[in-house]
Amino acid sequence: MTAELVRGQNHPLTQTRLEIRVSAGRPVLAGVTLGDDQGRVHGRDQVAHPGAPALPGLEVPRQAAADHRLAVDLDAVPETAHRVSVLLALPQLPGGPDRFGAVAAPFVAVTGLDGTEVVSYTVTGLDAESAVVALELYRRQGAWKVRAVGQGYAGGLGALLTDQGLPDADALSGEMHAAVARGLARTVAAPPPRAVSTGASAGAATGASALADGGSGASASATPSAATPPAANAPSATPPVAAAPSATPPTDPPSASAPPPLPETHPSGQPPSHPSAHPSAPINYTHPRRQAPAPPPPAPTAPPAAPGKPAAPVAGDATGWSMDERLYNQVWGMFEDLARTVAAYRSAIDFADSRMEQELDKALSDPRSRVGGQGDAAREAAQAKHRKLVEQAREVLDRDLAQLAAESAVVEPALPPAYAGWDNPVWHAYRSPMEIPMAMRLGDLRLPETRDTGLSIPMLVRLPLERGMWIDSGRSGGDAMTESGERRRLAMRSAVEHAARLLAVYPAGEFAVHVIDPAGSAAGELAPLVRAGVLAGPPAAGAAGVSDVLARLTQRVDLVQMAVRARAADSLPPDLDTAEQLLIVNDFPHGFDDRAVTQLRYLADEGPAVGVHLLMVADREDAAEFGPVLDPLWRSLLRLTPGPDDHLADPWVGHAWTYEPPSVPPGSAILEQVLADVARARRGLGL
């Protein structure tokens, strides 16, 4: 089954001999660069392009064409190469397009040698860019993966190669375009269309394709094909494709129904270019029984907006170097748009109320207007103006909310696991990531005005975490009637779901979870983590367990801080776990003495800077005996709730946002499935 990638997504490769197919609709230049583990290209001998089409394990076409096939053998790629980047660029042709925004979105597919598609990617979102890194194949822990990049460069090939660290990028860019120009100069124009008799065969009915001198650099046994698009007046039975190793049978001998011979001189004034062609006979490369290959699926483009209406939203329609960053910025933009829209609506309502009060005060200030119908008329007029202003404000709000809801409907399905809710289908295809994401979802945010539309904005926090979290198990506005024991269970269940997400979004072995449960009261809620075997150790119980865990994490913070300050990271003990650490504390302050409370405060203050984070489940009233000593602790933690609560306020416009924690759908086993995948990845690393 083909995996259709969006920008920033990756996919494992199980084959090493591959073919990369490109379809752009217009002639494009295709090339490949070999980069190190940082993506830097150290010399022109690590760039395959039309002027130098072959590198170990790689071969690219010698000409610009609307369709390409690039041959890849990953086993033959040098060990020093960690990234294989596939580049596309618009050739510098007179009258040709100079930006990808003026042509159809390029379509790229990675296939096996049998033509079976492994992944596909449509490079959307390009505008002024004339060169783009479409895909990259990269090594990760001894295996190869493919990532959809889609990073464009308005400065063209020179800017692209410069960004990859090539010293003489501009000079090489000029050579690549010159190689394409030389190939076009050798191209023989197609003959004009000729009338074909009704008795001619299907093979003779096709027009001649343009021929490129030198063919393709992909394989000597490749099927001949056109390397430049046919002339405008020359119909073609098959799209021009740069030659690659082909599994199709060789072309049959010419049939008896071949068209009459052409004159020895080509209409362009040049002799035929193919060495095996007789001067008086045309060459037909289309086998009568060979069907034309199916065209790639069209690029997903938003329907044109009607006059006066906003354009259809697109996922990832924001700035950023990767799809994750684009989606993060898009979600942040949706948050700002919703805050601004609701602020404008509330301001308009306040203005309408104030204006009606002023008009009523003015109309009723004269005692003579208080009797008879004059006062009633003034009151009705003021109320009518008020209703009109409110209706106008509501109309604008509904329009903006509808646009945001449409954008949310497009963005939510495209979110990666780190940003997605537990009900998103992306979790069913979860695999342990290779890289740390830039953010993680903690829940959803909404405002009272969006209650009817169901619109909510994902609450994303940057990773690594900059502060700890506190899940308040006390009474709050959303669950004031919930029994105390049930609130504590809900809070601990929420903590487990947050911990599971952190384990899932970090690469295997780069995040560890410790648990302090002094009374053992959260055994049921902790069961998914314990059964999966993803905890760093059994949940600590009793005063001794609390003291042991806190001492070990405090020592880790001290050692890492000293190593950082002394710039001696290599002096850390070899048995020190360098992974990020999360400490879940349940039922605080039960089981904590003064020394343990001091250590906990120390971890909350100093831990995040060196990779130690707190996730506390506590009711602040239970810790009232410590007085103001714990006030800095509560202030240092991000307060969350196990149920909806409007305790979060943004300093921008002052809205009180209702926070809704992420929850696993009832009856779903997705949490256990994800934790099982995490445990499997950890076992693969010997953890």
Side-chain angles (χ1 to χ4, degrees), residues 487-513:
R487 288 199 308 270
R488 295 177 188 273
R489 286 190 292 272
L490 291 175
M492 194 60 197
R493 187 180 307 161
S494 180
V496 168
E497 292 174 358
H498 287 306
R501 182 182 292 265
L502 281 165
L503 284 166
V505 303
Y506 270 77
E510 296 188 20
F511 200 87
V513 177

Side-chain angles (χ1 to χ4, degrees), residues 14-19 71-75 110-114 245:
T14 58
Q15 307 176 55
T16 56
R17 299 189 65 189
L18 303 164
E19 194 174 75
V72 178
D73 184 356
L74 295 175
D75 287 337
V110 178
T111 72
L113 293 184
D114 59 354

Side-chain angles (χ1 to χ4, degrees), residues 371-683:
V371 295
Q374 187 176 356
D376 294 338
R379 185 179 296 104
E380 291 178 0
Q383 292 174 345
K385 291 180 181 179
H386 179 269
R387 284 194 299 271
K388 183 177 181 181
L389 289 174
V390 171
E391 290 172 358
Q392 290 176 345
R394 188 70 205 188
E395 181 180 355
V396 173
L397 176 67
D398 290 342
R399 179 200 65 197
D400 292 344
L401 291 182
Q403 178 68 12
L404 282 171
E407 186 174 9
S408 178
V410 171
V411 170
E412 280 284 354
L415 294 178
Y419 302 174
W422 288 111
D423 57 348
N424 193 311
V426 71
W427 286 108
H428 293 279
Y430 168 79
R431 291 295 180 270
S432 181
M434 297 295 184
E435 298 174 351
I436 301 174
M438 67 179 301
M440 184 192 78
R441 188 172 189 157
L442 285 184
D444 296 302
L445 299 173
R446 60 176 174 81
L447 292 169
E449 287 80 0
T450 66
R451 186 177 294 109
D452 294 339
T453 63
L455 174 65
S456 61
I457 307 297
M459 179 182 174
L460 304 180
V461 294
R462 296 295 294 265
L463 293 178
L465 296 171
E466 297 179 357
R467 60 191 298 199
M469 294 177 287
W470 161 38
I471 301 181
D472 191 355
S473 59
R475 295 183 181 274
S476 60
D479 60 354
M481 302 301 294
T482 307
E483 187 264 339
S484 174
E486 180 64 18
R487 288 199 308 270
R488 295 177 188 273
R489 286 190 292 272
L490 291 175
M492 194 60 197
R493 187 180 307 161
S494 180
V496 168
E497 292 174 358
H498 287 306
R501 182 182 292 265
L502 281 165
L503 284 166
V505 303
Y506 270 77
E510 296 188 20
F511 200 87
V513 177
H514 308 263
V515 176
I516 290 179
D517 185 20
S521 58
E525 288 70 31
L526 290 170
L529 298 176
V530 175
R531 283 198 302 264
V534 294
L535 293 178
V546 171
S547 177
D548 178 63
V549 172
L550 291 177
R552 284 189 284 110
L553 292 178
T554 302
Q555 183 185 38
R556 183 191 183 280
V557 172
D558 290 338
L559 290 173
V560 176
Q561 279 187 340
M562 287 188 292
V564 171
R565 290 168 184 168
R567 299 182 181 179
D570 54 349
S571 64
L572 288 170
D575 59 343
L576 181 74
D577 185 4
T578 57
E580 298 273 317
Q581 310 287 315
L582 177 71
L583 174 60
I584 302 177
V585 179
N586 181 44
D587 206 15
F588 177 81
H590 180 78
F592 281 74
D593 55 18
D594 291 344
R595 185 171 184 272
V597 169
T598 302
Q599 290 176 319
L600 192 67
R601 287 186 54 189
Y602 177 73
L603 292 178
D605 294 337
E606 305 295 335
V610 291
V612 177
H613 313 283
L614 280 184
L615 178 54
M616 289 184 56
V617 178
D619 182 355
R620 189 168 182 175
E621 293 183 2
D622 293 342
E625 61 184 77
F626 289 94
V629 173
L630 290 182
D631 287 349
L633 174 64
W634 305 120
R635 288 195 298 266
S636 68
L637 302 175
L638 173 63
R639 178 175 175 253
L640 304 175
T641 54
D645 190 70
D646 58 354
H647 66 281
L648 294 177
D650 68 87
W652 186 31
V653 292
H655 293 327
W657 293 81
T658 297
Y659 165 78
E660 295 180 349
S663 58
V664 177
S668 173
I670 191 62
L671 185 67
E672 289 76 9
Q673 174 185 326
V674 170
L675 289 175
D677 289 334
V678 171
R680 190 178 304 112
R682 289 168 58 89
R683 287 194 298 270

Side-chain angles (χ1 to χ4, degrees), residues 319-365:
T319 59
W321 288 97
S322 66
M323 189 60 174
D324 282 7
E325 185 177 359
R326 289 173 182 259
L327 287 169
Y328 175 84
N329 291 334
Q330 187 171 13
V331 169
W332 179 252
M334 292 167 60
F335 172 82
E336 291 182 342
D337 289 344
L338 180 56
R340 186 166 40 243
T341 293
V342 172
Y345 170 73
R346 292 178 180 179
S347 177
I349 298 300
D350 291 342
F351 171 76
D353 293 342
S354 175
R355 179 172 177 175
M356 182 177 68
E357 291 178 1
Q358 292 177 1
E359 291 181 353
L360 289 177
D361 290 343
K362 182 178 179 181
L364 300 178
S365 61

Side-chain angles (χ1 to χ4, degrees), residues 35 51 80 92 108 130 133 147 164 179 196 198 200 216 222 235 252 254 287 309 332 340 351 401 468 674 684:
T80 56
Q92 297 174 348
V108 187
S130 59
V133 178
R147 177 187 290 118
Q164 293 193 349
V196 181
T198 56
S216 168
D252 288 353
H287 192 281
K309 292 186 177 181
W332 179 252
R340 186 166 40 243
F351 171 76
L401 291 182
V674 170

Side-chain angles (χ1 to χ4, degrees), residues 147-206:
R147 177 187 290 118
V149 180
Q151 177 60 52
Y153 294 83
L157 268 176
L160 185 154
L161 296 173
T162 299
D163 190 49
Q164 293 193 349
L166 195 68
D168 54 347
D170 291 334
L172 181 58
S173 170
E175 293 178 14
M176 294 167 70
H177 285 295
V180 171
R182 287 194 301 271
L184 290 175
R186 295 194 300 266
T187 301
V188 179
R194 296 179 292 104
V196 181
S197 63
T198 56
S201 67
T206 60

